[in-house]
């Protein structure tokens, strides 16, 4: 017992020790934490929070709202949805032992401090107004388990600061404006199971994530490209729509009879062909209307000369002299070209030099250009300044006038689609033709100015519809002909270079089938990419089934089966006759256009590479089950065709939220009923009023059931489907 008491001669030191310890036994807070929370309170604008008393004790009574302590240290501050404003102090790192900092769902702005408490395990700043970069001092948070910075206004690249964060489990950086690629140190996040990066502007590939133990990955609406690593496709909850990924192709379709070289589409560029390339820049005289006149005149002279030879021998001498002068003129032009290649203009006048550097007119490119150089050309800023994108779909044509002087006939930097004879590797796309110059053989080049004129400045009155890849407008030419212009969204084609876009155009232009929409032309100018197609006057099959009563009345049973046959033939052509075969990737009723005679024209053929990953299955009802694992193949097109046939059979939408839960997805509702003749009869579109042959009904149900098999390998090739449809359609109805 004596040991518990002080001797009388030592009572003063004992009393001092007891008094020193007394405040701590009553919960007085660590001075470092007091300083840090005082600075935080002041930086947030001294908000009124219950218990928060300047100069008070955060860990002592009364309790401070949202503040949790262990002994003398603050271990958590939880103030989500507290209507806080202001900013975070740079002294945030002064907290000695804080584990949880939750300030989410407030109005806090400014930047995230670079000084952070190294003891943090849970760091929540989501749904605020933070700006600037994510600090690279995250690398000091070795105990971090959860990081939520989503739904702010953060910019810049994700810092390469994760090498030591091996305990991080959940991270959400979504809903910001982050750019750049994923940093290599992300591959060190060996405990990461949930990662959200959606709704940013991130680019590059996902390889750094492939060995992480992720079970939840959301990268939607970014600019990620390249193939998706196979390991990521096994993540249970993987969302990736809205990125320009390459489409993953499963095994090729059944072998098909070889096509003759003249009939087979060939969407690959072949090397070869000569052209001028000076210091990396394309130089070639842009053909003018005057050039066409000159060509025609030259032809006339030639014929006159030939006629003169037949009529009178004396003209031979005159013709010889004429040819000599022509050759002399051509040598003179060659000299000008050579002078231009040397970077000078020789004896050109100052006015000619000025004309060259300030071209501001738009020109028609020859329909059979020989080569295209897509590198940016010097002096193109002047031309680019003439066409500025507005906030809407219109394009400002300020500065252009019909009275502008005719451009100089001398070479000058051309628009991307006009750069001809500059790249020796960019030549004919069909080596079998032996042609060294025809890149896009039958497709017309349109300027932005021309398309703006034809579409009434891309007005709402000309709007036809908006699809997965872009917006479609009607365009009326001066001769009264109507075309359809697809204005590709930036996200759809941003991953393609100008060269790759022209390769794509060439590939599409070679598709030749009666049931595929014909590509008429294209535009590649000032960052805009547009495709011009033939116009189909009766809208889409989707409209005919659900919106257009007049056309719906024309869709008899035989008419519907004929539509199905035509659509099947189009897919058969893509899958089994094109070399190489083509996956559609977005086959659905809104991409089946109806011509004036109600024949089917399939749109978006050859554009699979532009499709966002998993876009077909997103709440559309057309997506095959394998799309949930990131794989799209020819068999996936077959599945989508089966859904289209179900729509023709039932008249229902592929996905209809207005119906009872068990009937919202058409395939799920119909699959089990396709084998019950009574249930099948009740499924038929009521608008047919029972006017269908029962024998054909059962055969159609058999085709549909084969197409929508859950396992891709059990779905038949399109050639087999075509034959089955031919057997049930009366010959006179085909």
């Amino acid at each position: 017992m004596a040991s518990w008491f002080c001797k009388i001669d030592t009572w003063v030191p004992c009393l001092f020790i007891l008094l020193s310890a007394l405040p701590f036994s009553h919960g007085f807070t660590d001075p470092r934490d007091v300083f840090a929370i005082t600075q935080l309170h002041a930086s947030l604008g001294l908000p009124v929070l219950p218990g928060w008393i300047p100069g008070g004790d955060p860990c002592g009574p009364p309790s401070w709202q949202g503040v949790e302590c262990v002994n003398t240290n603050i271990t958590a501050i939880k103030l989500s949805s507290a209507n806080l404003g202001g900013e975070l102090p740079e002294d945030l790192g002064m907290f000695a032992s804080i584990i949880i900092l939750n300030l989410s769902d407030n109005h806090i702005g400014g930047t995230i401090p670079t000084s952070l408490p190294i003891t943090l395990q849970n760091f929540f700043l989501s749904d605020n107004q933070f700006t600037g970069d994510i600090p690279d001092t995250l690398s000091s948070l070795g105990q971090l388990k959860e990081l939520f910075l989503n739904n702010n206004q953060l910019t810049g690249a994700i810092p390469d600061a994760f090498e030591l964060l091996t305990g991080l489990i959940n991270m959400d950086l979504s809903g910001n404006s982050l750019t750049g690629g994923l940093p290599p140190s992300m591959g060190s996040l060996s405990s990461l199971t949930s990662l959200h990066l959606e709704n940013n502007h991130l680019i590059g590939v996902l390889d750094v994530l492939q060995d992480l133990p992720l079970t939840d990955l959301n990268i939607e609406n970014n600019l990620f490209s390249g193939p998706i690593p196979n390991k990521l496709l096994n993540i249970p909850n993987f969302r990736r729509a809205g990125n320009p990924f390459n489409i993953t192709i499963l095994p090729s379709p059944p072998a098909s009879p070889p096509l003759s070289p003249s009939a087979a589409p060939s969407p690959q560029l072949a090397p070869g062909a000569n052209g001028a390339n000076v210091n990396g820049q394309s130089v070639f005289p842009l053909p003018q209307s005057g050039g066409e006149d000159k060509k025609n005149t030259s032809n006339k002279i030639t014929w006159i000369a030939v006629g003169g030879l037949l009529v009178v021998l004396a003209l031979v001498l005159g013709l010889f002299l004429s040819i000599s002068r022509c050759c002399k003129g051509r040598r003179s032009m060659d000299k000008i070209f050579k002078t231009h290649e040397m970077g000078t203009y020789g004896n050109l006048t100052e006015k000619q030099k000025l004309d060259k550097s300030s071209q501001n007119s738009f020109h028609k490119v020859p329909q059979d250009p020989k080569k295209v150089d897509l590198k940016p050309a010097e002096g193109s800023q002047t031309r680019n300044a003439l066409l500025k994108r507005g906030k809407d779909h219109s394009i400002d044509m300020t500065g252009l006038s019909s009275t502008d002087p005719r451009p100089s006939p001398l070479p000058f930097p051309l628009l991307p689609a006009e750069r001809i004879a500059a790249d020796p590797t960019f030549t004919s796309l069909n080596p079998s033709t032996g042609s060294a110059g025809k890149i896009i053989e039958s497709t017309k080049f349109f300027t932005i100015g021309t398309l703006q004129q034809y579409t009434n400045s891309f007005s709402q009155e000309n709007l036809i519809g908006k699809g997965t890849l872009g917006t479609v407008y009607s365009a009326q030419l001066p001769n009264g002909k109507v075309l359809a212009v697809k204005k590709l969204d930036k996200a759809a084609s941003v991953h393609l270079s100008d060269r790759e876009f022209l390769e794509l155009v060439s590939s599409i232009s070679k598709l030749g089938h009666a049931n595929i929409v014909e590509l008429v032309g294209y535009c590649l100018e000032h960052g805009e990419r547009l495709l011009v197609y033939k116009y189909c006057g009766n809208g889409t099959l989707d409209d005919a089934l659900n919106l257009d009563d007049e056309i719906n009345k024309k869709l008899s049973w035989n008419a519907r089966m004929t539509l199905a046959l035509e659509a099947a033939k189009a897919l058969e052509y893509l899958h089994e006759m094109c070399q190489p075969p083509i996956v559609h990737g977005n086959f659905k009723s809104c991409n089946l256009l109806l011509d004036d005679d109600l024949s089917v024209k399939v749109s978006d053929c050859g554009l699979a590479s532009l499709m966002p990953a998993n876009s077909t299955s997103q709440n559309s009802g057309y997506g095959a089950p394998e799309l949930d694992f990131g794989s799209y193949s020819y068999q996936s097109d077959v599945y989508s065709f089966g859904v289209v046939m179900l729509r023709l059979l039932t008249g229902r939408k592929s996905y209809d939220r207005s119906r009872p839960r068990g009937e919202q997805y058409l395939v799920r509702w119909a699959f089990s009923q396709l084998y019950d003749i009574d249930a099948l009869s009740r499924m038929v579109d009521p608008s047919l009023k029972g006017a269908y042959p029962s024998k054909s009904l059962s055969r159609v149900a058999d085709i549909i059931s084969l197409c929508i098999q859950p396992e891709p390998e059990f779905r038949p090739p399109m050639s087999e489907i075509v034959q089955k449809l031919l057997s049930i359609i009366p010959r006179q109805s085909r």
Side-chain angles (χ1 to χ4, degrees):
M1 266 318 266
S3 62
W4 290 96
F5 296 95
C6 295
K7 297 181 180 179
I8 191 66
D9 58 344
T10 59
W11 68 271
V12 175
C14 284
L15 180 61
F16 177 79
I17 294 172
L18 289 173
L19 290 174
S20 299
L22 190 59
F24 293 96
S25 65
H26 284 284
F28 288 152
T29 310
D30 188 320
R32 293 172 295 177
D33 288 345
V34 173
F35 173 81
I37 200 169
T38 301
Q39 293 297 103
L40 174 63
H41 194 210
S43 187
L44 294 176
L46 299 176
V48 177
L49 297 170
W52 286 57
I53 303 173
D57 178 18
C59 293
S63 61
W64 288 28
Q65 177 187 343
V67 177
E68 298 178 3
C69 298
V70 173
N71 296 324
T72 62
N73 289 109
I74 296 175
T75 56
I77 297 178
K78 301 177 181 178
L79 292 174
S80 63
S81 305
N83 199 31
L84 303 177
E87 301 180 355
L88 296 183
E90 274 300 327
D91 298 309
L92 198 63
M94 286 296 294
F95 284 101
S97 303
I98 192 168
I99 295 173
I100 301 173
L101 181 59
N102 187 352
L103 300 175
S104 59
D105 196 16
N106 285 290
H107 311 288
I108 306 172
T111 59
I112 298 175
T114 56
S115 175
L116 299 171
I118 62 174
T119 55
L120 274 178
Q121 295 182 15
N122 306 91
F123 191 19
F124 305 115
L125 298 181
S126 56
D127 296 285
N128 277 284
Q129 300 171 11
F130 289 104
T131 59
D133 298 340
I134 299 174
D136 56 10
T137 48
L138 284 177
S139 59
S140 65
L141 308 184
Q143 302 180 44
L144 196 64
K145 295 181 179 179
E146 294 185 299
L147 176 64
F148 287 78
L149 305 179
N150 51 297
N151 299 326
N152 282 285
Q153 301 167 26
L154 299 173
T155 56
I158 299 175
D160 193 12
F162 300 99
E163 187 172 358
L164 302 180
L165 308 189
T166 55
L168 187 62
I169 299 172
N170 301 315
M171 180 163 63
D172 192 340
L173 306 179
S174 63
N176 287 288
S177 297
L178 301 175
T179 56
L182 300 182
S185 61
M186 269 195 174
S188 302
L189 298 174
S190 56
S191 300
L192 193 67
T193 59
S194 176
L195 176 61
H196 283 237
L197 300 172
E198 68 268 21
N199 301 319
N200 280 288
H201 309 296
L202 300 171
I203 63 173
V205 296
L206 302 175
D207 294 359
V208 71
L209 305 178
Q210 62 182 336
D211 294 321
L212 303 184
L214 291 166
T215 59
D216 178 23
L217 176 60
N218 191 336
I219 56 168
E220 292 180 330
N221 303 321
N222 279 285
L223 301 173
F224 290 115
S225 58
I228 302 174
N230 289 332
K231 293 180 180 179
L232 297 185
L233 300 178
N234 297 322
I235 294 176
N237 189 14
F238 182 21
R239 286 157 287 178
R240 58 212 183 265
N243 286 279
F245 287 120
N246 295 343
I247 299 296
T248 302
I249 303 298
L250 284 182
S252 58
S256 59
L259 286 182
S260 64
S262 60
S266 182
Q268 294 183 349
L269 286 173
N274 300 320
N277 190 304
V278 182
N279 297 328
Q281 299 295 331
S282 169
V283 289
F284 202 85
L286 188 66
Q288 314 293 329
S289 59
E292 295 291 335
D293 294 340
K294 183 176 180 180
K295 180 179 177 181
N296 294 335
T297 302
S298 177
N299 290 335
K300 290 178 181 179
I301 292 174
T302 302
W303 284 109
I304 291 173
V306 173
L309 284 172
L310 296 176
V311 175
V312 59
L313 187 61
L315 291 179
V316 173
L317 180 59
L319 176 62
F320 176 78
L321 295 176
S322 175
I323 293 175
S324 298
R325 286 193 296 271
C326 178
C327 292
K328 183 178 180 180
R330 291 191 63 177
R331 286 195 296 272
S332 178
M333 282 302 295
D334 290 340
K335 184 176 181 181
I336 293 175
F337 267 79
K338 184 176 180 180
T339 305
H340 178 78
E341 291 175 356
M342 295 170 63
T344 66
Y345 293 95
N347 296 324
L348 300 182
T349 66
E350 290 300 319
K351 181 179 184 302
Q352 287 174 318
K353 295 177 184 179
L354 180 62
D355 287 343
K356 181 188 183 306
S357 62
S358 60
Q359 299 297 334
N360 59 359
S361 297
F362 296 91
H363 317 283
K364 180 180 177 182
V365 173
Q367 294 198 8
D368 293 325
K370 292 185 178 180
K371 284 191 285 181
V372 178
D373 180 11
L374 300 173
K375 298 178 181 178
E378 294 180 2
S380 62
Q381 292 86 352
T382 303
R383 183 186 296 272
N384 291 340
L386 297 177
L387 294 182
K388 301 175 182 177
R389 295 187 62 205
K391 293 182 179 179
D392 55 4
H393 295 290
S394 64
I395 298 175
D396 184 10
M397 297 294 290
T398 304
L400 293 182
S401 169
S402 59
T403 61
D404 285 341
R406 294 177 64 84
S408 165
L410 297 175
F412 65 92
L414 308 180
L415 298 173
E418 298 174 321
R419 294 178 187 150
I420 305 169
D423 186 349
T425 67
F426 201 69
T427 58
S428 174
L429 290 161
N430 190 355
S432 64
T433 64
S435 170
K438 295 186 178 181
I439 301 171
I440 303 174
E441 298 180 352
S442 60
T443 309
K444 181 179 179 181
F445 170 76
F446 290 87
T447 65
I448 281 289
T450 300
L451 292 181
Q452 185 178 21
Q453 177 185 353
Y454 295 164
T455 60
N456 192 22
S457 297
F458 299 98
S459 66
Q460 288 296 314
E461 291 77 13
N462 289 64
L463 179 64
I464 297 176
K466 182 170 178 59
T468 306
L469 300 177
T471 311
V472 183
Y473 299 87
S474 62
Q476 185 168 7
L477 277 59
N479 61 6
K481 184 178 180 180
V482 179
L483 299 174
V485 179
K486 180 186 286 288
K487 195 166 186 277
L488 294 176
D489 289 339
K490 295 291 185 183
S493 63
V494 69
H495 64 291
L496 293 181
S497 66
D498 288 343
R499 172 194 290 269
E500 290 169 335
F501 175 73
L502 285 179
E503 291 175 358
L504 181 68
V505 170
S506 181
S507 174
I508 300 170
S509 70
K510 294 182 182 296
L511 297 179
H513 191 274
N515 299 117
I516 291 178
V517 181
E518 180 182 344
L519 182 70
V520 175
Y522 68 99
C523 177
L524 174 61
E525 197 174 280
H526 307 289
E528 299 289 343
R529 293 169 177 185
L530 304 96
L531 300 172
V532 183
Y533 291 95
K534 280 193 173 181
Y535 179 76
C536 295
N538 279 317
T540 69
L541 177 59
D542 193 62
D543 296 335
L545 290 173
N546 299 113
L547 299 175
D548 196 325
D549 293 336
E550 182 178 350
I551 296 181
N552 187 271
K553 293 176 182 178
K554 301 177 183 179
L555 296 183
S556 65
W557 176 263
N558 285 340
R560 294 179 189 221
M561 294 302 102
T562 301
L563 294 179
L565 175 61
E566 292 174 344
K569 287 181 176 179
L571 280 182
E572 178 190 28
Y573 170 80
L574 294 174
H575 290 183
E576 304 176 32
M577 298 180 185
C578 287
Q579 296 297 330
I582 295 174
V583 175
H584 188 282
N586 194 25
F587 192 86
K588 48 188 176 182
S589 56
C590 62
N591 282 329
L592 303 185
L593 310 183
L594 302 181
D595 212 342
D596 294 338
D597 59 355
L598 291 187
S599 62
V600 165
K601 305 287 185 181
V602 181
S603 67
D604 281 6
C605 296
L607 300 181
S609 62
L610 304 183
M611 290 295 299
N614 215 21
S615 59
T616 304
S617 62
Q618 293 294 323
N619 297 326
S620 69
Y622 288 93
E626 62 267 20
L627 267 64
D628 292 333
F629 303 99
S631 299
Y632 200 104
S633 68
Y634 307 97
Q635 289 82 5
S636 306
D637 278 347
V638 175
Y639 183 96
S640 299
F641 175 81
V643 181
V644 169
M645 283 203 67
L646 259 182
R647 295 213 57 201
L648 290 169
L649 172 66
T650 65
R652 293 191 177 207
K653 297 179 180 179
S654 58
Y655 173 72
D656 190 348
R657 185 178 297 177
S658 65
R659 292 187 177 275
R661 187 173 185 85
E663 300 182 15
Q664 290 181 354
Y665 283 96
L666 180 58
V667 171
R668 295 178 187 174
W669 169 74
F671 189 81
S672 61
Q673 304 181 63
L674 291 172
Y675 305 97
D676 185 333
I677 190 62
D678 294 330
L680 185 60
S681 300
R682 293 192 294 270
M683 289 170 55
V684 178
D685 190 347
S687 65
L688 289 173
K689 299 179 180 179
Y692 58 86
S694 56
K695 186 176 181 180
S696 294
L697 178 62
S698 60
R699 290 184 179 179
V700 168
D702 290 340
I703 295 173
I704 294 173
S705 63
L706 288 172
C707 291
I708 61 174
Q709 289 292 318
E711 299 81 7
E713 60 271 21
F714 294 143
R715 300 172 202 150
M718 289 307 303
S719 55
E720 182 178 328
I721 295 171
V722 168
Q723 293 305 314
K724 289 181 179 293
L725 284 169
L726 285 171
S727 68
I728 64 176
I729 300 176
R731 186 173 297 275
Q732 62 272 18
S733 299
R734 298 176 191 173

